[in-house]
Amino acid sequence: MSYEVRGVVAAKKGAPVEVQTIVVPDPGPGEVLVDVQACGVCHTDLHYREGAINDEFPFLLGHEAAGTIAAVGEGVTDLAPGDYVVLAWRAPCGRCRSCRRGRPWYCFDSLNATQPMTLLDGTPLSPALGIGAFAEKTLVAAGQAVKVDPAARPEAAGLIGCGVMAGYGAAVNTGGVSRGDTVAVIGCGGVGNAAIAGASLAGARRVIAIDIDNAKLAGAERFGATHTVNSRGTDPIEAVRELTGGFGVDVAIDAVGRPETYKQAFYMRDHAGIMVQVGVPDPEMKIEIPLIDVFSRGGAVKSSWYGDCLPTRDFPILIDQYLSGRLDLGGFVSETIALEQVEQAFTKMHHGQVLRSVVVL
């Protein structure tokens, strides 16, 4: 059996997305069928539309989603129809060299559904990040569906599937922020604010938000920023040093992903501090830093892959923090929209008018 449902498709590079009828098969071995309830509009979806990820058009967009299990395939024993889940784009395989070494958050062979979803004419779709959740139903590997508390509103819960987890994990998992640390976060979009929230929840005594937009800086305070710096007219490195007794921060997080913000994060660290890059750069971007500075400053320079998260461990924790009022997931939701409004949401996102537009089905 298969299902004909509506989904948002990017048919060719740079063209506006369209809502089309797509065909989703029943789950096969190790797969689950999910009734999508909500899915956030993420920059990665726009990157797919622009051909910046790969050229495997047409794409079924959407990946930051929550919903319920509609059906399970053969061999799936830990999920059942009706279970409330958040979808993850990393599902550790348990077999690769990273998983075998006890580092499943770096899994190099993450699982996806093996059956294709298609257009009505049979053309296979490439689901964004192996999910494709701008659709009424989607098919994923069972390991991509993580059970969470059903009390969490889907438009908020789905956001931990990508942007919130990436930022929160950059601070807590990759950066290892702990009680008493000082932290700077460059870029106060969805990922940056999630990093601010993660640092605050981890016990950082000072969390410095840096952006060029005063409205975004004001919003960062909602998520736990103790100080703000507008870097449009101020040197952020000097500002951070002034706020830290002249030393710099213990952890600096670049949530933008540009050469200039990377260097700012690198140099605003204290000696032996940690710098984390979580903002995704353009493939053509390059940086140049004197090697003696890399050596003499010590510490660590890291990139954060999906917040170095283990979804089955981290998603339920974030949901519990949300339900207890400690993590303001609802604060990331700027608006709720229909499938037909995804293209307009891309425009708003590009111009920095929203933290997250969320499709609600």
Side-chain angles (χ1 to χ4, degrees):
M1 181 178 177
S2 60
Y3 307 84
E4 292 186 5
V5 301
R6 295 182 307 143
V8 175
V9 176
K12 58 184 179 180
K13 182 176 179 177
V17 300
E18 298 178 353
V19 177
Q20 298 191 33
T21 299
I22 66 170
V23 180
V24 183
D26 259 334
E31 298 173 339
V32 295
L33 182 70
V34 179
D35 287 325
V36 179
Q37 294 179 327
C39 185
V41 180
C42 175
H43 272 92
T44 302
D45 294 303
L46 182 57
H47 290 329
Y48 273 106
R49 195 202 72 174
E50 296 302 303
I53 304 294
N54 59 55
D55 61 356
E56 296 172 5
F57 290 91
F59 293 109
L60 175 60
L61 300 183
H63 61 278
E64 206 173 58
T68 57
I69 300 294
V72 303
E74 179 184 344
V76 178
T77 59
D78 55 350
L79 292 168
D83 284 345
Y84 183 57
V85 297
V86 172
L87 301 184
W89 52 267
R90 174 173 290 152
C93 69
R95 301 182 301 273
C96 72
R97 63 192 185 280
S98 186
C99 287
R100 291 198 309 269
R101 295 177 67 189
R103 301 172 182 172
W105 47 89
Y106 291 143
C107 177
F108 301 137
D109 193 21
S110 184
L111 301 175
N112 295 127
T114 56
Q115 297 185 92
M117 294 180 277
T118 70
L119 297 175
L120 280 174
D121 65 3
T123 301
L125 290 161
S126 299
L129 291 175
I131 294 176
F134 285 153
E136 293 162 326
K137 294 181 186 291
T138 192
L139 185 74
V140 296
Q144 293 179 268
V146 180
K147 281 196 289 188
V148 298
D149 192 323
R153 293 168 49 208
E155 60 267 35
L159 301 185
I160 69 172
C162 186
V164 169
M165 186 71 256
Y168 182 104
V172 175
N173 296 334
T174 314
V177 176
S178 59
R179 290 187 302 275
D181 279 348
T182 54
V183 179
V185 178
I186 305 174
C188 297
V191 172
N193 280 329
I196 288 167
S200 180
L201 283 166
R205 65 182 177 87
R206 187 158 293 188
V207 182
I208 305 165
I210 302 164
D211 204 285
I212 59 174
D213 186 323
N214 283 329
K216 288 186 176 181
L217 290 170
E221 294 176 340
R222 174 175 182 170
F223 297 100
T226 60
H227 299 76
T228 61
V229 174
N230 188 319
S231 57
R232 187 179 293 277
T234 301
D235 182 339
I237 299 171
E238 292 304 316
V240 165
R241 287 177 179 161
E242 288 178 11
L243 290 167
T244 54
F247 300 116
V249 290
D250 299 302
V251 181
I253 299 170
D254 173 14
V256 178
R258 295 187 57 83
E260 56 268 33
T261 54
Y262 186 100
K263 288 183 180 180
Q264 288 166 358
F266 179 87
Y267 284 109
M268 66 177 57
R269 297 175 300 149
D270 194 357
H271 285 290
I274 296 170
M275 181 259 177
V276 178
Q277 180 193 352
V278 65
V280 180
D282 183 290
E284 303 303 315
M285 291 177 175
K286 300 180 185 297
I287 59 168
E288 184 175 329
I289 293 176
L291 192 56
I292 188 62
D293 288 355
V294 177
F295 170 77
S296 63
R297 297 184 68 83
V301 177
K302 302 180 178 183
S303 58
S304 185
W305 296 353
Y306 200 9
D308 292 343
C309 79
L310 185 58
T312 52
R313 175 195 66 194
D314 294 336
F315 285 12
I317 292 173
L318 268 64
I319 290 295
D320 286 347
Q321 291 175 331
Y322 162 61
L323 292 174
S324 68
R326 290 176 290 159
L327 177 60
D328 184 13
L329 288 179
F332 290 91
V333 181
S334 302
E335 62 175 358
T336 56
I337 62 173
L339 284 172
E340 291 79 7
Q341 295 173 288
V342 167
E343 185 65 33
Q344 296 95 307
F346 282 151
T347 300
K348 292 178 183 178
M349 180 178 63
H350 178 70
H351 291 292
Q353 298 171 331
V354 293
L355 282 182
R356 274 296 186 271
S357 301
V358 181
V359 173
V360 175
L361 296 103

